[in-house]
Amino acid sequence: MKTLSNKTALVVGASGGIGSAVVKRLCDEGMKVVMSARNRERLEKKAEDFKLAAGSYVILPADSSDFYHVDQLFAEIRKRFKGLDLVVIASGGYDSLELELPLKEASAVFQKMVAIN
């Protein structure tokens, strides 16, 4: 099996569930991991909880449903790294649509879910 040491990965949705587990595993395998999600504090807490080694990860918060945020995320990655060897998209979300919602509100909720997922 090829080694992952000295490779760089981006994990979008790194603050929760599957995304954070992927971050932990990639760091354990020797990769430099860019952790991204909307909430910086949650990303920092995950890194602390997992006791990730300093230098094994970088936190770059971004809202993956917003083109500007994604563009800025990749601009920062280009400045800091030669490139990416792996990208993991583990972001997602859910918001309930109640039948009583007016169509305009329901449409906004639906569009938000499509953008995130």
Side-chain angles (χ1 to χ4, degrees):
M1 184 169 137
K2 289 185 178 181
T3 180
L4 298 176
S5 294
N6 302 315
K7 305 263 186 204
T8 305
L10 165 63
V11 179
V12 178
S15 65
I18 293 170
S20 64
V22 169
V23 167
K24 172 81 168 101
R25 179 63 186 264
L26 295 177
C27 285
D28 287 350
E29 293 291 331
M31 289 192 91
K32 173 81 154 203
V33 179
V34 177
M35 297 174 66
S36 188
R38 290 175 290 186
N39 188 300
R40 175 180 286 282
E41 290 77 25
R42 286 186 65 194
L43 290 166
E44 290 171 348
K45 177 90 170 88
K46 284 295 178 184
E48 181 181 309
D49 289 349
F50 287 144
K51 296 176 177 39
L52 299 180
S56 69
Y57 68 96
V58 172
I59 292 175
L60 296 177
D63 180 348
S64 63
S65 69
D66 183 315
F67 177 80
Y68 175 77
H69 283 232
V70 173
D71 190 46
Q72 293 301 306
L73 172 64
F74 278 92
E76 188 63 29
I77 289 170
R78 279 191 293 277
K79 280 197 305 190
R80 293 181 183 217
F81 305 101
K82 292 178 182 174
L84 291 171
D85 300 292
L86 176 69
V87 176
V88 177
I89 308 293
S91 62
Y94 170 77
D95 203 349
S96 64
L97 282 172
E98 298 176 20
L99 293 175
E100 296 80 26
L101 278 178
L103 184 57
K104 187 173 185 176
E105 289 179 44
S107 178
V109 170
F110 181 78
Q111 292 300 318
K112 176 183 168 190
M113 291 302 97
V114 168
I116 291 172
N117 295 301

